[in-house]
């Protein structure tokens, strides 16, 4: 994080609640995250951890049924949660950009690609063909005349990246941009996204479940669990020596990292569904190194080995890994 | 059966016999008008000098198998429209007395001989003068044709031109209703020269001696007539252009009368009269008709209880004709025997056997069981009579199930080759002479009723006697016997007379309307209508 | 199957928040109650009995006045509601059974069978509704069964198409493929998997068909083909009342108001059912 | 290329449907009890007269022969002669078509000009879900006014009180176009009430459906103003269901609004066909129903074509569905 | 090597898309799977791996080539008689893997009811036993799918596949829609159940990591052809085909 210049994005102790007909679900329970200009942050967490809500929060794109009773969100100094609609729209137009999870779904099915790009970029003059070549789409003239359902997921995502970066955003938020793509295409899109962001000095928030991808592309990683950022530090250090027990468990469960023949270490119990202020650490019931204070006292952020962790006993090592019974051939 | 009731003769009604109707009839004379002459509901105000167009709305158009040929015309509607163009030798006065028309006078040297003297200066629409050849040719053409009306002229032996402007008709035997039968549109005088030389297709065009000429006609939408310039009394005809619009929906005709887009409208719902209250310049009057509603009891079906005369008579005695008239027809109709009660010499319905019977025979009633009563949709009054009859028979312990069909289905079920009904309601035209309609009670002569009437020889004899006896005390006695016979046979039972309601705009037209009408001819005196001066 | 019953009961439980739905259900209940009480206890006398002078205004001895034959309008109106509601409900029940069967088969089978069923539906659907109804009435002769047959013929094509589309969507789901793989017979798949999952669409389309049914019955009565005399249906009462609008406006106002209230209530119930069974997430950001 | 092949496929199925309609109507019409001869000859004609008249009208020939005769003529545009007017049916339809077309055009104009904006307004204004209790009440009310009840009321009001427009005197187009529209305005309004309510409801649903689509969320994320989103994205995406409904409504209206035509005494197609039914005037009924079927199928084909242009996925789906 | 449970011999499947335009989904595919063995089938979307799964399940008849199941050629589309229930599948989308209107116990009991007739209720005891094996307590029996998480639903799907003690199961992208930790549970479960039930398995996935964890042998498909078929250990340590190397690079 480049010290001195004020951080581009400040999310400070934000609580967000979805109100459905029958009950209230708390998606964020005091999440905090800051990101400077040009930083690349990977936000990792399983479904129900609140990472998608965090992404939407930055652009205040939460549906009408949600409320944020606590916390602040500052983008480039402007408090997003209190902005009037027209200034919020200007903020989204000039400072923010989003890369969608379902690339084809994010394009208007009834308009040709070229027409949609002209509409979206009507106030930033850009040569569309050059724009598409920049994201390495062969034969851009042909693609501009196609409809969204006539192009592949990979190509659609490249168009989305081109559309986003053409507006030179200060902050780019990508929520699982490559979930629907095949491995090769996934690598290409990521390479495009991060190189263009770097050239433009855009801060990137990448919400993902692909630990390997985050390791390759993001300087910083933030692990989320139960609506809070439980560990936030430089990627290499966090992945090699996780301080928070959940991070450790997550790494152990990833088949890509499991060495041949070892049994995957699974986390017992099920992810929490919060409805109000929880007592103590929400990971306590599933944590192997939980002490008596964990369920009682809500852990405060502390810096350990150059990263911030929300845990009373950081640094616990995962238990030994039992050998796997080989099934007879 | 708005279209298919046949009219074969007309009857003479004593206007005095018209009872005042209980519904607030609008016959009370409007302030400015003179009191109508006796026998009329309204008379044209001679002081009006205006002339010009007139718009009339009727509920349905003429539709005949024989097209526009008046001789084969079978319905009252055809006759009233065709009477604008065609004229018969004689016509009917307000009290149903026979008056001269194309025949200026006539003599009856004997009971079976009539000598007519033609009126001078009568021309057809194309300007050609009327000749005795036209008269003889027309009557002979009518007698030769198989048209239903031909039989009503009675046993005619010969029609001959007996002088430059004289025609003599000889009958084989005395036939009292002959003159009355002659006074109707089917017996009108046709332009025989044009018909014989083929220059006129009588089915498609009309050419007569009457006050109007057809300009154009769109089936079921409108007729346009213009004044016939060569009409003998052309200068007194105030209506220059007569437009007849066909508007099936009653509410639409009511609306047209209210907002003035129509000056003269016919209604078939009695209560339309009081729908006009509160509309300035709008009058509605109810003409008494010789037409009457009847109830058929299908006695030809062997395994039906109605085959037994006692059951039929018991049902007849259970009916209350007064209540039918007051409830179903809002008091506008009146009970009648087979001789229409408004006609002179007609029998008194109150003295009929069923009316005088103290109570219906319970045993016979029990045998009746459940009966199906067929009615048709196009005339609301028929449905209402059916429901009143259902109530009356229910009180007598007989269940009646009403089956309402569209007109065509009704015709095929009741008058088809294989009748499929127990009871059915319809209406006949009453004609002018008391005996003429009774002809239909003789299945052999009528033909159509042979499918549901058993032939009753004594009744047939009474019908012939009534037809041939000259008017007088013993004819009235015969007619009374005829009524009693029909009533006790109870196969086809006359119920109540059928009212005809007409509405008009007093600020658009001053019509001449008779109190009683024999031929159901709504447009009878339209040539005498006067129009107020254009404001 | 017990779980399904639990599921359906819970689905139909009236959501407290929806005032419109509660109001609509109350109107319908009131109408059904009124006609039941009227028919059973004969309140207000027999509908076809001539009780007084013609065209008497309401209140003078007869709550709703008398009609053109002197019959009290109240019992006739109650009978009219009964006839119209019973007739339309019965007809729509038949429509629902036929359409659901055809729709589910067409949706699951697809291909030629679906094409055939839809083609037949198109043939009927391209007839103008009123002409089709009058044709049926003329062929079968007026009366209740005819009105019922007319309503069924007019409403089956659209409902079959709707159920067919819903069934086709369900047939593509994984649990249907899994059932086919494990050898479950086609009829069982249709009954156990397809039918319960299109129940929502059937309920929604059934309610809309009901309001169409009432309109068709009314139209038939207006043209003279509806219920037989002296029985009454709301359509017939309105048609008869139409002639006396100046002299006796209550003859058309009473049945008119009841008819409009009934159809409106049914439409509102249909809307609420559609909200429940085809819920659309409320994530709109606009 | 595929588009044309798909179109040919649709035309083929349309022809099949038309054939089905023609067979059904021909059989159904003859299944009706009674025949024209009974009606026109009246009750007092003898059976012999009825038989000779039937022969004259050509009603006594075997049904299949009559059908083939009629079908082969219909192919050449001669739909047979009306028994009532003795004139070719095509002529009568020619006279009445402009009346029904004007009436339909007026009703559709009202429907599109009022229904669609109302739908878009209620759809975009209340946020999400199916809020807008007022919107639902109004459209439910509009859809529950049967033509015969509303029509009778309007006829009553406009005749009982002087409210400008007169009821029932139809002015032919040839005479005075403006007057003709004036005379058809009231019946058009009565017809339009149901259509406006139905269109408003369908439009609102379609709009609400589009608003939850991901591409709208993406547009909002791009900071596009609401009006821009509605104009450029919502209307286009929501138009297909609305178009389908309008096509069905126009087919219904062109099929002839019998009841309104009778109440307002408008000489349109609907009342003519139903009169034909009353009088068993076979040629009129058959031609009327065929015309209505052609209009219905043409409307659907048109909608498929246009919606294929608006939303390219549809023509792909339609083709996909066929395989 | 015991008698192979499933054997595909030079199987071809060709689709007609519009006139004259054909797509070859399977172009001469041959492989064998023995009892207790898992063949991992990897490839990009559009490589034909799902069609291969459909052919293995008997849902689609190949244009040419033979499919032998337990030695007998597989003719008709729907398995009949003795072999009904011998083939089962666990498919991708947990949201729609279970009939939302059926309770868990009924869904699991259905395949058994199809094989041994009788009502669903009669097979509830067997269903409860198999649910316990997949780690779901009896209390789940009467629950409806919308009350379960994605992982729990996939467990029910697996229980449903196992209840007829099939000799062959196809896992078509069975875990790709699940979270990493939940995925781990399911992979362990499949591994343990195979050791116990000794069914043959075809594990189709685009996630090479998951395949490595379960598969004994791996086949890589590209545009309808198997470009490499090798023992798992050898494949992950020294892939021969360049396309395989490219895929492993991203792991």
């Amino acid at each position: 994080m480049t010290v001195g210049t004020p951080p581009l994005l400040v999310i400070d102790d934000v609580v967000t609640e979805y109100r459905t007909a029958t009950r209230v679900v708390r998606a964020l329970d005091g999440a905090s995250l800051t990101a400077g200009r040009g930083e690349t942050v990977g936000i990792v967490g399983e479904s129900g951890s609140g990472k998608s809500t965090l992404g939407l929060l930055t652009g205040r794109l939460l549906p009408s049924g949600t409320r944020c009773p606590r916390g602040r969100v500052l983008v480039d100094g402007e408090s997003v949660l209190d902005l009037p609609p027209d200034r919020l729209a200007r903020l989204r137009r000039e400072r923010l950009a989003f890369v969608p999870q379902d690339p084809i779904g994010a394009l208007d099915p009834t308009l040709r690609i070229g027409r949609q790009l002209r509409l979206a970029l009507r106030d930033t003059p850009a040569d569309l063909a050059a724009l598409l070549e920049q994201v390495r789409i062969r034969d851009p003239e042909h693609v501009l005349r196609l409809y969204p359902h006539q192009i592949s997921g990979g190509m659609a995502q490249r168009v989305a990246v081109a559309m986003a970066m053409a507006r030179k955003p200060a902050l780019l938020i990508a929520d699982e941009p490559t979930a629907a793509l095949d491995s090769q295409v996934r690598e290409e899109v990521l390479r495009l996204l991060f190189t263009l962001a770097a050239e433009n000095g855009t801060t990137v928030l990448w919400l993902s479940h692909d630990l390997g991808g985050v390791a390759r592309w993001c300087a910083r990683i933030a692990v989320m669990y139960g609506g809070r950022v439980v560990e936030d530090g430089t990627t290499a250090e966090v992945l090699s020596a996780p301080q928070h027990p959940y991070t450790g468990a997550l790494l152990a469960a990833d088949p890509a990292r499991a060495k041949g023949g070892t049994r995957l270490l699974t986390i017992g119990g099920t992810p929490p569904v919060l409805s109000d202020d929880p007592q103590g650490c929400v990971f306590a019931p599933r944590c192997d190194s939980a002490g008596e204070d964990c369920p009682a006292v809500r852990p405060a952020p502390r810096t350990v080995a150059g990263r911030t962790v929300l845990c009373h006993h950081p640094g616990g090592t995962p238990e030994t890994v039992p050998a796997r019974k080989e099934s007879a051939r | 059966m708005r279209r298919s009731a046949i009219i074969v003769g007309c009857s003479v009604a004593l206007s005095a016999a018209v009872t005042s109707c209980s519904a607030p009839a609008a016959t009370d004379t409007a302030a400015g008008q003179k009191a109508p002459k006796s026998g009329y509901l309204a008379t044209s105000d001679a002081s009006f000098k205006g002339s010009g167009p007139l718009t009339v709305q009727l509920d349905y158009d003429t539709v005949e198998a024989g097209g526009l040929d008046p001789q084969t015309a079978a319905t009252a509607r055809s006759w009233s429209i065709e009477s604008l163009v065609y004229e018969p030798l004689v016509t009917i006065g307000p009290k149903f007395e026979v008056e001269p028309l194309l025949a200026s006078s006539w003599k009856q040297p004997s009971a079976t001989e009539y000598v007519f003297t033609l009126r001078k200066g009568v021309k057809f629409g194309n300007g050609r003068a009327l000749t005795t050849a036209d008269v003889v040719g027309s009557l002979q053409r009518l007698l030769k044709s198989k048209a239903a009306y031909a039989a009503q002229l009675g046993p005619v032996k010969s029609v001959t031109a007996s002088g430059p402007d004289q025609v003599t008709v000889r009958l084989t035997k005395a036939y009292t209703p002959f003159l009355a039968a002659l006074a109707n549109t089917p017996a009108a005088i046709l332009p025989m020269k044009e018909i014989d030389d083929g220059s006129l297709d009588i089915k498609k065009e009309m050419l007569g001696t009457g006050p109007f000429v057809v300009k154009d006609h769109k089936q079921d939408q409108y007729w346009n007539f213009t004044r016939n310039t060569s009409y003998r009394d052309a200068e007194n005809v105030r209506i220059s252009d007569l437009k007849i619009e066909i508007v099936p929906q009653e509410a639409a005709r009511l609306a047209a009368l209210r907002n003035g887009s129509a000056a003269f409208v016919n209604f078939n719902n009695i209560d339309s009269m009081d729908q006009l209250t509160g509309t300035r310049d709008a009058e509605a009057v109810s003409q008494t008709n010789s037409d009457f509603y009847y109830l058929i009891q299908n006695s030809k079906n062997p395994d039906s209880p109605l085959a037994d005369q006692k059951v039929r008579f018991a049902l007849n005695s259970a009916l209350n004709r007064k209540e039918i008239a007051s409830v179903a027809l809002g008091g506008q109709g009146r009970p009648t025997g087979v001789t229409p009660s408004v006609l002179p010499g007609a029998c008194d319905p109150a003295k009929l056997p069923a009316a005088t019977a103290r109570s219906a025979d319970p045993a016979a009633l029990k045998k009746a069981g459940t009966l199906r009563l067929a009615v048709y949709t196009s005339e609301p009054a028929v449905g209402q009579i059916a429901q009143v009859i259902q109530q009356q028979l229910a009180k007598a312990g007989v269940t009646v199930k009403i089956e309402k069909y569209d007109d065509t289905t009704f015709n095929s079920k009741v008058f088809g080759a294989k009748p499929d009904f127990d009871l059915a309601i319809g209406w006949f035209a009453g004609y002018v002479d008391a005996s003429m309609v009774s002809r239909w009670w003789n299945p052999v002569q009528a033909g159509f009723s042979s499918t549901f009437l058993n032939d009753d020889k004594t009744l047939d004899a009474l019908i012939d006697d009534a037809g041939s006896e000259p008017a007088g005390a013993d004819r009235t006695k015969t007619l009374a016997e005829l009524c009693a016979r029909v009533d006790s046979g109870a196969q086809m039972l006359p119920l109540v007379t059928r009212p005809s309601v007409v509405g008009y705009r007093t600020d658009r037209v001053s019509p001449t309307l008779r109190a009683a009408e024999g031929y159901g001819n709504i447009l009878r005196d339209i040539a005498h209508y006067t129009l107020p001066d254009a404001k | 199957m017990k779980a399904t019953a639990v599921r359906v009961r819970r689905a139909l439980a009236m959501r407290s928040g929806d005032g419109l739905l509660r109001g609509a259900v109350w109107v319908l209940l009131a109408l059904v109650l009124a006609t039941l009480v009227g028919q059973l206890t004969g309140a207000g006398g027999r509908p076809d009995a001539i009780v007084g002078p013609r065209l008497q205004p309401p209140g003078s001895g007869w709550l709703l006045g008398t009609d053109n034959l002197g019959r009290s309008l109240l019992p006739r109106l109650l009978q009219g509601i009964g006839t119209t509601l019973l007739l339309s409900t019965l007809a729509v029940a038949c429509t629902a059974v036929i359409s659901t069967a055809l729709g589910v088969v067409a949706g699951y089978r697809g291909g030629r069978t679906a094409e055939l069923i839809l083609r037949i539906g198109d043939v009927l659907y391209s007839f103008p509704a009123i002409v089709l109804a009058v044709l049926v009435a003329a062929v079968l002769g007026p009366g209740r069964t005819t009105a019922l047959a007319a309503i069924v013929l007019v409403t089956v094509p659209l409902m079959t198409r709707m159920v067919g589309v819903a069934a086709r969507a369900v047939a593509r789901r994984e649990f249907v493929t899994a059932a086919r793989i494990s050898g479950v017979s086609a009829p069982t798949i249709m009954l156990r998997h397809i039918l319960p999952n299109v129940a929502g669409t059937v309920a929604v389309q059934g309610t809309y068909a009901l309001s169409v049914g009432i309109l068709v019955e009314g139209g038939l009565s207006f043209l003279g083909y509806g219920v037989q005399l002296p029985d009454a249906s709301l359509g017939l009462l309105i048609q008869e009342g139409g002639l006396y609008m100046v002299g006796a406006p209550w003859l058309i106002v009473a049945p008119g108001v009841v008819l409009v209230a009934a159809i409106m209530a049914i439409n509102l119930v249909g809307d609420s059912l559609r909200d429940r069974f085809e819920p659309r997430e409320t994530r709109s950001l606009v | 290329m595929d588009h044309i092949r798909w179109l040919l496929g649709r035309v083929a199925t349309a022809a099949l449907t038309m054939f089905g309609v023609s067979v059904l109507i021909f059989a159904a019409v003859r299944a009706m009890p009674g025949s024209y001869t009974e009606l026109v000859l009246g009750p007092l004609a003898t059976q012999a007269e009825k038989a000779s008249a039937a022969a004259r009208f050509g009603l006594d020939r075997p049904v299949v022969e009559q059908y083939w005769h009629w079908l082969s003529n219909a192919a050449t545009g001669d739909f047979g002669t009306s028994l009532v007017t003795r004139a070719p049916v095509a002529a009568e339809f020619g006279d009445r078509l402009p009346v029904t077309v004007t009436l339909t055009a007026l009703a559709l104009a009202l429907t599109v000009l009022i229904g669609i904006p109302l739908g878009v307004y209620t759809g975009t204004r209340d946020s999400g879900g199916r809020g807008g209790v007022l919107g639902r009440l109004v459209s439910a009310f509009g859809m529950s006014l049967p033509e015969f009840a509303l029509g009778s009321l309007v006829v009553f009001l406009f005749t009982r009180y002087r409210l400008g427009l007169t009821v029932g005197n139809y002015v032919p187009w040839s005479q005075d176009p403006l007057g003709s529209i004036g005379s058809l305005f009231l019946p058009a309004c009565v017809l339009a009430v149901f259509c406006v309510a139905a269109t408003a409801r369908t439009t609102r649903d379609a709009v609400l459906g589009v608003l939850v689509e991901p591409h709208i969320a993406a547009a909002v994320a791009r900071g596009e103003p609401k009006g821009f989103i509605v104009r450029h994205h919502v209307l286009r995406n929501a138009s297909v269901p609305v178009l389908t409904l309008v096509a069905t409504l126009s087919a219904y209206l062109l099929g002839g609004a019998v009841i309104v035509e009778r109440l307002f005494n408008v000489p349109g197609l609907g009342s003519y066909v139903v009169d034909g039914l009353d009088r068993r005037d076979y040629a009129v009924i058959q031609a009327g129903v065929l015309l209505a079927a052609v209009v219905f199928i043409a409307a659907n084909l048109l909608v498929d074509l246009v919606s294929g242009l608006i939303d390219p996925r549809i023509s792909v789906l339609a083709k996909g569905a066929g395989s | 090597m015991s008698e192979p449970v499933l054997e595909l011999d030079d199987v071809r499947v060709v689709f007609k898309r519009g006139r004259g335009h054909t797509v070859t989904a399977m172009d001469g595919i041959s492989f064998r799977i023995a009892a207790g063995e898992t063949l991992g089938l990897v490839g990009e979307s559009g490589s034909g791996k799902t069609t291969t799964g459909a052919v293995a399940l008997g849902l689609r008849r190949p244009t040419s080539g033979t499919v032998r199941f337990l030695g007998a050629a597989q003719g008709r589309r729907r398995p009949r008689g003795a072999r009904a229930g011998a083939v089962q599948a666990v498919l991708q989308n947990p949201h729609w893997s279970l009939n939302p209107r059926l309770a868990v116990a009924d869904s699991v009991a259905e395949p058994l009811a199809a094989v041994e007739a009788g009502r669903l209720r009669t097979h509830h005891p067997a269903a409860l036993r198999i649910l316990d094996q997949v780690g779901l307590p009896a209390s789940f029996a009467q629950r409806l799918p919308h009350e379960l998480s994605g992982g729990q639903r996939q467990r029910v799907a697996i229980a449903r596949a196992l209840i007829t003690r099939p000799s062959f199961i196809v896992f078509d992208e069975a875990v790709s829609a699940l979270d990493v930790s939940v995925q781990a549970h399911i992979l362990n479960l499949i591994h343990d159940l195979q050791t116990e039930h000794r069914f043959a398995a075809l594990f189709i996935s685009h996630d090479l990591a998951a395949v490595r964890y379960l598969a004994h042998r791996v086949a890589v498909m590209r545009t309808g052809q198997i470009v490499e078929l090798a023992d798992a250990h050898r494949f992950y340590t020294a892939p021969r085909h360049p396309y395989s190397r490219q895929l492993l690079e991203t792991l």
Side-chain angles (χ1 to χ4, degrees), chain B residues 1 4 6 63-65 218-221 246-247 249 252 255 258-259 261 406-409 411-412 415-417 428 448, chain D residues 33-36 38-45 47 50 84-85 92 95-96 159 167 169 262-263 265 267 278-280:
Chain B
M1 278 171 306
S4 47
I6 197 149
V63 56
E64 299 284 347
K218 192 147 190 356
Q219 179 68 27
D220 293 337
Q221 280 190 39
I246 304 300
V247 178
Q249 195 66 16
R258 273 210 206 92
N259 59 35
S261 55
D406 60 278
D407 292 23
T408 319
T409 316
N411 278 342
S412 74
F415 300 101
F428 281 144
F448 77 93
Chain D
S35 74
Y36 178 71
E38 271 136 2
L39 183 70
V40 77
L41 291 177
L44 304 182
Q47 302 313 329
K50 288 182 183 170
V84 176
T85 61
E92 187 58 34
D95 294 349
R96 286 173 176 263
T159 50
V167 169
N169 41 23
R262 283 230 167 129
L263 270 175
N265 186 32
D278 276 351
R279 293 191 279 223
R280 306 298 188 271

Side-chain angles (χ1 to χ4, degrees), chain B residues 452-483:
Chain B
F452 49 81
L453 286 189
N454 294 322
D455 189 12
D456 172 353
K457 285 290 173 266
T458 31
L459 177 59
D460 299 347
L462 280 171
I463 293 171
D464 288 345
D465 296 352
S468 51
E469 282 170 9
D474 46 13
R475 186 173 192 237
T476 312
K477 199 164 63 57
T478 318
L479 291 174
E481 274 169 45
L482 175 61
C483 281

Side-chain angles (χ1 to χ4, degrees), chain A residues 46-47 182 256 263 267 324 327, chain E residues 44-45 179 181 185 192 213:
Chain A
E46 300 196 302
S47 45
D182 288 322
R263 186 172 176 74
I267 317 168
R324 187 171 64 158
S327 62
Chain E
E44 302 288 289
S45 53
D179 279 318
S181 59
H185 281 290
D192 299 345
Y213 184 71

